[in-house]
Amino acid sequence: MKKSISDNTITYIISRILENAESALNDSKQDSKNEFKLGRREAYYEVLDTLKSELSITDADLKNLGIDIDIEKMI
């Protein structure tokens, strides 16, 4: 049996990922030569880009889910 995830749960997950992405971005700015921190920032970019693309395909309300952002500008 397939179980559905509510929009509230998806919104919460996205908000947590965005918080972590901002933290990774700030960490990488403070130490721009640290490959781990740069890789972590890139990983969050990939995750957010994938989420946004997949949700767009399903015609999800990106604004309502909190991912109607310019990911490239953010990261």
Side-chain angles (χ1 to χ4, degrees), residues 12-51:
Y12 175 74
I13 292 168
I14 290 170
S15 72
R16 293 288 295 130
I17 293 170
L18 285 168
E19 287 173 13
N20 290 341
E22 287 182 37
S23 175
L25 176 62
N26 291 334
D27 287 348
S28 70
K29 284 181 177 178
Q30 290 176 358
D31 191 359
S32 63
K33 295 185 188 233
N34 185 304
E35 290 184 26
F36 174 80
K37 292 178 181 181
L38 293 172
R40 183 171 173 248
R41 182 182 75 184
E42 181 67 25
Y44 276 106
Y45 169 82
E46 294 292 330
V47 168
L48 289 168
D49 186 55
T50 300
L51 271 172

Side-chain angles (χ1 to χ4, degrees), residues 63-74:
K63 184 174 185 174
N64 187 46
L65 295 173
I67 196 163
D68 63 327
I69 57 172
D70 184 346
I71 298 168
E72 288 186 25
K73 188 178 277 189
M74 177 191 166

